[in-house]
Amino acid sequence: MKNQINDIKNRALGEIGKVKTFEEVEVLRVKYSGRKSELTNLLRGLKDLSPKERKKMGELSNQTKRVIENELEKKELEIKNEELSYIDEKEKIDVTCPGEKLEKGHLHPLTQIRYDIEEIFKSMGFLVVDDREVEDEFHNFDALNIPKNHPARDMQDTFWLKNGSVPRTHTSSVQVRFMENNKPPFRIIVPGRVYRNENSDATHDYNFHQVEGLMVAKSGEITVANSKSIISEFMKGLFGEGTKVRLRPSYFPFVEPGFEFDASCPYCKGEGCRICKGCGWIELGGAGMVNQNVFTSVGLTEDEFEGFAFGFGIERLAMIKYGIDDIRLFHAGDLRFLEQF
Ligand code: PHE
């Protein structure tokens, strides 16, 4: 039996010397020191020995078991240390290395300026609303006092869909939608996408954004002066305190009287420069007192209410604010442009 025990020990130590992974150590542990190990099996034969021999062999096998277990533990530690030094080597972190700069995304310049616009109007009590982009003729034209076959329809280049709908040519359609469902008094702005059937160039695009404004109350409560002061406050908020606003008579079927409004050029402060083409003013949008026909087409009683509306292009405001000379840059997806904002 002594030989057998020694033989087991030699084989065990030999095999333990060769293994390289925790899994292999575990296999050997089961084989040489577990409850079903060769050694345990051998010890079943102890009962057939004389008491003296039994004691001797018992001690020898216990001692052998300890030697094997020690070796297994030593091996395990060795593997662990090897792994740690490997990790040390491979995954060493040099805290003095300069960091890698992560590119952060940001909002598109048009979104940024839209948020700015919304903030300014919200601070004056305006609600921000929007509605559908594909409209019927009634909401885009008829209800806004632009009857069929009226030359005013030609003021806007329209994409007509086969079913007679139109991708809205202006956000004024939302004036109608809103008034169909809400009774005055109210003040709203409508930032949104609009579509025009025209060729694109540096200052025109077939797809751009407008902000519509509409403030309505009982007759006699709102005047042209109110509209001018609201538009002035807005322009000051966007272009700076010193900005001035002027109104020029103009025609839009859904307002009466109608205006176009200009802001003093934020670059030369009205002196005249390249941006304002030397005249000191920049044309920004249309405005006017809501035509009573618009009220009646949404079911409101004529002369009961009065209000003003205005509309301007968001791209145009952004071009002036940021000094951009080509409207097509906004939709070109060119990172060299977008990263400047
Ligand atoms: N809807 C007009 C346009 O697109 C702008 C406008 C809005 C003018 C409201 C007057 C009042 O040109």
Side-chain angles (χ1 to χ4, degrees):
M1 184 177 269
K2 188 175 168 193
N3 287 345
Q4 280 170 301
I5 296 179
N6 280 336
D7 173 54
I8 292 177
K9 176 168 139 192
N10 290 339
R11 272 191 290 120
L13 297 189
E15 285 178 41
I16 295 172
K18 281 189 224 135
V19 297
K20 296 206 157 40
T21 65
F22 288 121
E23 289 76 22
E24 288 170 326
V25 171
E26 226 22 68
V27 171
L28 294 185
R29 179 169 282 134
V30 171
K31 182 164 169 194
Y32 288 111
S33 97
R35 280 196 306 123
K36 291 183 179 155
S37 67
E38 282 183 53
L39 203 56
T40 315
N41 271 341
L42 197 64
L43 291 181
R44 297 223 170 87
L46 276 181
K47 61 181 187 320
D48 304 326
L49 301 177
S50 67
K52 208 172 147 208
E53 273 296 288
R54 195 185 302 158
K55 189 168 175 238
K56 248 167 88 186
M57 288 305 115
E59 273 170 15
L60 181 63
S61 72
N62 275 340
Q63 196 196 344
T64 303
K65 196 166 177 221
R66 254 179 277 128
V67 171
I68 293 176
E69 278 168 2
N70 261 342
E71 276 315 291
L72 285 167
E73 248 162 66
K74 257 179 28 201
K75 190 68 191 183
E76 222 166 29
L77 203 66
E78 207 177 280
I79 295 175
K80 198 166 170 184
N81 282 337
E82 248 168 55
E83 253 176 38
L84 281 180
S85 63
Y86 176 80
I87 290 173
D88 255 8
E89 198 46 46
K90 279 276 160 191
E91 298 177 10
K92 189 156 49 182
I93 294 174
D94 179 355
V95 290
T96 64
C97 266
E100 248 176 62
K101 191 166 166 269
L102 290 179
E103 288 296 334
K104 263 203 278 175
H106 63 73
L107 295 175
H108 190 279
L110 285 181
T111 310
Q112 292 183 31
I113 197 165
R114 177 163 64 81
Y115 285 172
D116 289 347
I117 295 168
E118 289 178 5
E119 280 316 308
I120 298 171
F121 278 108
K122 279 196 256 177
S123 77
M124 296 191 280
F126 280 72
L127 198 68
V128 180
V129 302
D130 196 4
D131 212 295
R132 65 210 71 189
E133 284 182 23
V134 176
E135 265 304 353
D136 51 45
E137 231 181 318
F138 176 75
H139 291 86
N140 196 83
F141 293 119
D142 304 344
L144 288 163
N145 197 33
I146 319 176
K148 288 187 187 55
N149 308 319
H150 190 283
R153 281 224 180 173
D154 302 335
M155 286 169 71
Q156 299 183 350
D157 306 290
T158 311
F159 286 113
W160 290 97
L161 303 185
K162 283 205 184 90
N163 64 1
S165 314
V166 289
R168 66 184 178 196
T169 57
H170 51 184
T171 42
S172 302
S173 56
V174 184
Q175 287 188 33
V176 183
R177 291 269 171 207
F178 191 83
M179 285 198 281
E180 282 173 335
N181 298 310
N182 299 274
K183 267 212 128 187
F186 54 72
R187 42 182 99 178
I188 58 166
I189 58 161
V190 185
R193 202 183 271 278
V194 300
Y195 303 82
R196 298 270 173 105
N197 187 1
E198 58 187 348
N199 292 328
S200 56
D201 60 28
T203 52
H204 297 87
D205 216 341
Y206 43 83
N207 180 209
F208 58 99
H209 298 77
Q210 286 187 332
V211 173
E212 192 81 6
L214 180 66
M215 180 165 169
V216 180
K218 279 236 168 307
S219 258
E221 288 179 8
I222 294 184
T223 65
V224 174
N226 295 130
S227 80
K228 188 175 177 194
S229 100
I230 294 274
I231 293 171
S232 291
E233 281 310 304
F234 164 57
M235 291 300 162
K236 283 183 197 165
L238 200 63
F239 294 126
E241 262 313 304
T243 313
K244 293 197 209 53
V245 167
R246 74 176 183 187
L247 303 180
R248 286 177 288 108
S250 185
Y251 172 71
F252 300 95
F254 32 93
V255 287
E256 176 59 36
F259 312 101
E260 271 171 271
F261 58 89
D262 304 336
S264 55
C265 176
Y267 288 92
C268 61
K269 313 276 178 243
E271 297 284 310
C273 69
R274 192 179 57 84
I275 306 278
C276 58
K277 300 199 182 83
C279 83
W281 294 94
I282 293 183
E283 186 187 322
L284 287 179
M289 301 303 285
V290 179
N291 191 309
Q292 289 297 325
N293 290 345
V294 178
F295 288 136
T296 49
S297 59
V298 297
L300 297 176
T301 318
E302 196 168 348
D303 293 331
E304 194 182 345
F305 299 102
E306 221 164 12
F308 64 83
F310 55 85
F312 46 81
I314 299 188
E315 278 81 354
R316 183 157 172 74
L317 293 184
M319 287 169 80
I320 292 160
K321 188 171 165 79
Y322 302 128
I324 297 163
D325 59 8
D326 194 328
I327 192 173
R328 292 167 294 195
L329 285 167
F330 288 116
H331 302 137
D334 187 336
L335 287 178
R336 289 168 305 179
F337 169 72
L338 295 173
E339 275 167 357
Q340 296 176 43
F341 295 90

